[in-house]
Amino acid sequence: MIRGIGSFLKEFLVELVGEAVLTLVACCAVAGLALAFVRGWEHSPPLTEGAGGALLVFLGYGGWELLRPARPGRRGRVAGVAAAAFAVAALFIAYAASCTCP
């Protein structure tokens, strides 16, 4: 019985620390993107708009590749990277939405 409680507490603490670390990384990523956008906008607004648009198109392509019906054949490298980037961005957005950063 003691081992069961110890195992439960260990698993609980690992999950708690993992959630905290992931939330911290997501908050820092959002803050870093916001800072990069502001600094880029001060330097060159058209370049910032172009880079932001290209990032959105790339993530949109990744979402389309990830959610479209499967078809036979090998997925290309760019499609795989775009799908992975979309999945990571979606995960970060989900965690950043729960962020209580000041």
Side-chain angles (χ1 to χ4, degrees):
M1 175 139 168
I2 299 293
R3 286 185 183 169
I5 293 173
S7 175
F8 171 76
L9 286 176
K10 181 182 175 185
E11 183 180 341
F12 176 73
L13 288 175
V14 168
E15 285 186 25
L16 185 68
V17 170
E19 290 281 332
V21 168
L22 193 54
T23 301
L24 180 67
V25 168
C27 286
C28 289
V30 168
L33 283 173
L35 182 64
F37 180 78
V38 168
R39 296 287 184 186
W41 191 264
E42 290 172 355
H43 182 63
S44 174
L47 185 63
T48 304
E49 291 172 354
L55 180 65
L56 287 177
V57 167
F58 183 71
L59 290 176
Y61 173 63
W64 180 75
E65 280 291 327
L66 192 62
L67 301 175
R68 74 182 173 103
R71 62 180 168 155
R74 198 178 96 166
R75 182 184 296 188
R77 289 182 186 160
V78 174
V81 170
F86 175 80
V88 169
L91 181 70
F92 276 1
I93 288 170
Y95 274 94
S98 67
C99 182
T100 56
C101 303

